[in-house]
Amino acid sequence: EGLREITAAGAQAGVRAALEPIHASARDDFTMDDTIPGAVEFLESAGADMGIMFDTWHLWDTPGVLDEIRRHAGRFVGVHVNDWRDPTRGWDDRALPGEGVMDLPAIFEALEDGGYDGWYELEIFSSESYPDSLLQLDPVELVRRGRAGFLDAWEARHDA
């Protein structure tokens, strides 16, 4: 019932509400779903015409993710872009696009193949407790590096 109310409130405000599947390693702390098909099934069972927020960090290593992206891209309301630091130190230890181990070009190609043509957002999580926290960077440098990494991966998407 709550999801249907959120969906209706979003529609009244002119926005589509979305559920964000969370990485399996943090599933118990943040969400009920850690896959795209799980989120679709959950929303359909609740009768909520809600979208899905696709987050590269949370879903990149889900088995079959590229096929699931292509199949469900029409439900995505946005894409959070970041990268996976290896080794990662926690959910708040993201890398900038191109500075981690994800195959972002393949993800971007799958999004395009699936018909996604919405917004891509640079999402930054980095605890100040990490000695190399992204939050220690000059904001202009942070955005410059994030944008450059995104554009490099975007341009490489057809080579994936």
Side-chain angles (χ1 to χ4, degrees):
E1 184 178 322
L3 291 175
R4 291 189 298 275
E5 288 181 30
I6 291 168
T7 301
Q12 281 185 326
V15 297
R16 188 164 187 210
L19 177 71
E20 182 176 350
I22 302 296
H23 194 268
S25 65
R27 181 177 190 249
D28 294 339
D29 295 327
F30 291 105
T31 190
M32 293 171 270
D33 292 296
D34 56 11
T35 66
I36 297 167
V40 169
E41 181 180 335
F42 177 70
L43 293 172
E44 288 177 354
S45 71
D49 184 29
M50 190 176 271
I52 295 172
M53 176 59 77
F54 182 87
D55 188 313
T56 59
W57 193 87
H58 288 298
L59 297 171
W60 75 282
D61 62 348
T62 305
V65 72
L66 298 178
D67 290 334
E68 295 302 333
I69 290 169
R70 289 181 186 95
R71 184 175 299 117
H72 297 290
R75 292 193 74 137
F76 299 164
V77 300
V79 175
H80 289 159
V81 179
N82 39 53
D83 212 330
W84 186 276
R85 181 184 311 278
D86 186 27
T88 191
R89 297 166 287 193
W91 70 269
D92 59 351
D93 189 27
R94 315 288 168 93
L96 292 171
E99 297 181 10
V101 297
M102 285 184 203
D103 188 352
L104 287 171
I107 291 171
F108 294 159
E109 182 177 40
L111 285 159
E112 187 175 49
D113 289 348
Y116 179 76
D117 66 352
W119 290 97
Y120 290 81
E121 305 170 22
L122 178 61
E123 183 181 54
I124 308 229
F125 279 104
S126 187
S127 173
E128 291 179 339
S129 67
Y130 302 131
D132 56 350
S133 172
L134 294 174
L135 301 178
Q136 295 177 18
L137 293 173
D138 172 74
V140 173
E141 177 64 12
L142 180 68
V143 171
R144 186 200 65 72
R145 279 179 39 197
R147 181 179 185 273
F150 171 82
L151 291 175
D152 287 347
W154 181 258
E155 291 300 320
R157 74 192 181 283
H158 295 297
D159 299 330

